[in-house]
Amino acid sequence: GKEPRVVLSARGLSKSFGGFHAVKNVDIDVLDTQIHALIGPNGAGKTTVFNLLTKFLQPSSGRIELLGEDITKTAPDRVARKGLVRSFQISAVFPHLSVLDNVRVALQRPNGLATQFWQPLSALDRLNEQAEALIDRVGLHRERDAIAEDLSYGRKRVLEIATTLALDPRVLLLDEPMAGMGLEDVAMVAEIIKSVARDRAVLMVEHNLKIVSDICDHITVLQRGEILAQGDYATVSQDQRVRIAYMGT
Ligand code: ADP
């Protein structure tokens, strides 16, 4: 088959806080239609890498490209509009609105980011078809009219992902999307992420190696801000340095 195209890439990405090097010389390629995991122990630099890629933080050095365009100096809202979206960025799930209304509100935002004003819900009927399709896609059809705050924890996170998908991102960044979930919800969210990655790229921070081995195509292992290993699960899990540093064997 044809190798999927690189949609997001970083070269020599570094970030220091004062004299402390939180991220050192990181190279990452995120491919379309793939699920890429960013793993590593606490303090490895995973959150900082997410903040650098989304431009919440300005890199000390290095270069970032999104869809072949240099975004190293681009502001975070523009980066989101160009298609690199992090789940919490818009995870303004309104607790007192229904699932359907939450998705309709997300769909009407012109660039997915907060606007100065929202239209009244009654003006959103034109978005119903699109909203229903999205709700079906993430498997929330039975909860369509449920109030967001009444959803289970797992389904609340799924609604969050749905509102993010309303922006139709090219690259979706998920920070521990299954954290705190039971096995059933983990399986549900895993299926959703796989389906979501059929027509975009997903980069996710994940601690659970079972999930990583089950659904991720490519893995980047960070340790103390540096890349320890990169590759598919078989490659990375056989790497001697990863076994010593990360898996303790
Ligand atoms: P992870 O997400 O892998 O747990 P982080 O990216 O949160 O790691 O942190 C990496 C390192 O950078 C940690 O040692 C952390 O204390 C440090 N760090 C993160 N943000 C800041 C900051 N704003 N100022 C100073 N140090 C920071």
Side-chain angles (χ1 to χ4, degrees), residues 3-248:
E3 180 76 353
R5 78 184 270 223
V6 175
V7 283
L8 174 67
S9 80
R11 287 292 174 274
L13 199 59
S14 299
K15 181 68 185 178
S16 323
F17 299 107
F20 178 75
H21 299 285
V23 171
K24 283 179 259 182
N25 205 25
V26 163
D27 293 346
I28 289 186
D29 280 330
V30 177
L31 275 63
D32 200 19
T33 70
Q34 291 210 343
I35 303 174
H36 190 132
L38 191 56
I39 70 171
N42 277 336
K46 304 180 296 293
T47 309
T48 306
V49 166
F50 261 34
N51 286 333
L52 292 170
L53 293 174
T54 49
K55 302 305 315 301
F56 279 58
L57 281 174
Q58 186 57 30
S60 306
S61 59
R63 178 185 167 91
I64 308 168
E65 280 188 14
L66 175 64
L67 304 169
E69 198 181 320
D70 187 346
I71 57 158
T72 314
K73 299 230 162 74
T74 308
D77 60 319
R78 284 186 56 85
V79 169
R81 244 174 288 151
K82 285 175 189 293
L84 175 60
V85 175
R86 186 175 182 167
S87 63
F88 77 74
Q89 216 165 329
I90 54 102
S91 79
V93 165
F94 298 100
H96 302 296
L97 291 186
S98 70
V99 166
L100 179 66
D101 284 343
N102 265 292
V103 173
R104 293 198 306 175
V105 167
L107 281 169
Q108 61 121 17
R109 299 186 201 182
N111 52 34
L113 299 172
T115 51
Q116 266 106 350
F117 62 93
W118 279 275
Q119 294 170 288
L121 288 171
S122 58
L124 298 180
D125 285 348
R126 67 198 159 83
L127 298 171
N128 281 4
E129 218 172 293
Q130 220 183 328
E132 303 262 7
L134 222 155
I135 288 167
D136 276 355
R137 179 152 194 209
V138 298
L140 284 177
H141 35 278
R142 280 195 303 273
E143 290 83 5
R144 193 193 77 159
D145 300 313
I147 300 303
E149 69 178 355
D150 296 335
L151 295 174
S152 71
Y153 174 73
R155 287 191 161 72
K156 252 180 231 156
R157 297 295 307 261
V158 170
L159 176 56
E160 219 172 271
I161 294 173
T163 58
T164 309
L165 288 174
L167 319 183
D168 199 21
R170 298 305 311 138
V171 186
L172 178 59
L173 268 52
L174 299 170
D175 197 352
E176 297 191 62
M178 285 93 150
M181 286 184 191
L183 284 180
E184 212 173 296
D185 283 349
V186 165
M188 168 183 70
V189 174
E191 284 311 309
I192 290 164
I193 292 172
K194 282 198 281 184
S195 136
V196 158
R198 270 182 221 129
D199 49 14
R200 73 201 72 235
V202 173
L203 175 64
M204 60 191 266
V205 170
E206 184 52 66
H207 285 295
N208 184 327
L209 291 180
K210 170 86 170 68
I211 295 169
V212 169
S213 73
D214 282 353
I215 71 167
C216 296
D217 304 288
H218 198 88
I219 299 154
T220 293
V221 187
L222 283 180
Q223 188 189 34
R224 293 194 207 95
E226 290 179 285
I227 289 182
L228 199 58
Q230 276 178 321
D232 61 16
Y233 188 79
T235 307
V236 159
S237 62
Q238 278 157 27
D239 186 290
Q240 195 61 28
R241 293 183 310 162
V242 173
R243 299 187 74 91
I244 293 166
Y246 194 67
M247 295 160 188

